[in-house]
Amino acid sequence: MTNSEAPKPFAIELTRTAENRYVATNGKGGHIEFGRGEDLMSPVELLLAAIAGCSSIDVDTVTSRRTEPQDFTVTARSEKVTEDGDASRLGPISLNFDITFPNDEAGQRATAMIERLVKLSHDKYCTVSRTVEHGTPVTFDVASDSDA
């Protein structure tokens, strides 16, 4: 970011819809349901999806200018680690990119770009994975209803 660029704010609002079911909505109206249940993604799975999605967008944006992929699958994996005092977090996160393009000149050019684009995403462009790797502080605030 250059000195002349203003920071880009991000925000979501989370609403409880039922026990252990939530909807996160952004300012553009996009939303996703998640929580605890057989038919829902968990918050940890959403984090993995955000990392995979962020890098996928980086790679897809550039390669799709050449040709459409025949298959574009990214798998994100990690394991829960329990530390002293039963505090939990994720261990190392790995992404596996499985992308194929048609076997023609445009497809070969797109295929040749994948490794470099994945590296650029990791090293520079994927805000989500870079935030996780750099350990950005998270603060919690509880609103109080003083009129109750």
Side-chain angles (χ1 to χ4, degrees):
M1 179 168 81
T2 64
N3 290 336
S4 63
E5 291 181 25
K8 180 179 178 182
F10 291 93
I12 62 98
E13 183 174 282
L14 182 133
T15 305
R16 180 184 184 268
T17 59
E19 182 178 355
N20 291 313
R21 293 183 85 89
Y22 310 92
V23 173
T25 306
N26 67 14
K28 298 178 277 185
H31 62 278
I32 187 164
E33 184 178 20
F34 67 98
R36 184 177 296 162
E38 289 299 315
D39 61 335
L40 297 172
M41 291 185 88
S42 72
V44 171
E45 291 164 333
L46 283 178
L47 176 64
L48 294 176
I51 293 169
C54 185
S55 283
S56 293
I57 289 170
D58 292 338
V59 173
D60 191 30
T61 298
V62 177
T63 57
S64 291
R65 291 179 191 150
R66 274 70 180 166
T67 189
E68 281 294 305
Q70 292 174 314
D71 181 51
F72 195 119
T73 304
V74 179
T75 304
R77 287 190 172 87
S78 186
E79 292 183 0
K80 182 177 175 180
V81 175
T82 304
E83 299 174 327
D84 295 335
D86 296 329
S88 62
R89 64 175 179 82
L90 289 181
I93 298 168
S94 65
L95 296 183
N96 179 280
F97 289 79
D98 186 4
I99 307 169
T100 57
F101 293 98
N103 190 18
D104 57 18
E105 185 179 333
Q108 291 168 2
R109 284 196 316 264
T111 299
M113 303 173 83
I114 295 172
E115 284 191 41
R116 183 177 63 83
L117 293 171
V118 168
K119 181 171 177 20
L120 280 169
S121 180
H122 175 267
D123 294 348
K124 188 173 182 179
Y125 295 117
C126 180
T127 303
V128 181
S129 64
R130 292 183 50 72
T131 298
V132 170
E133 285 188 325
H134 288 266
T136 298
V138 177
T139 59
F140 293 78
D141 182 35
V142 178
S144 62
D145 186 4
S146 58
D147 295 331

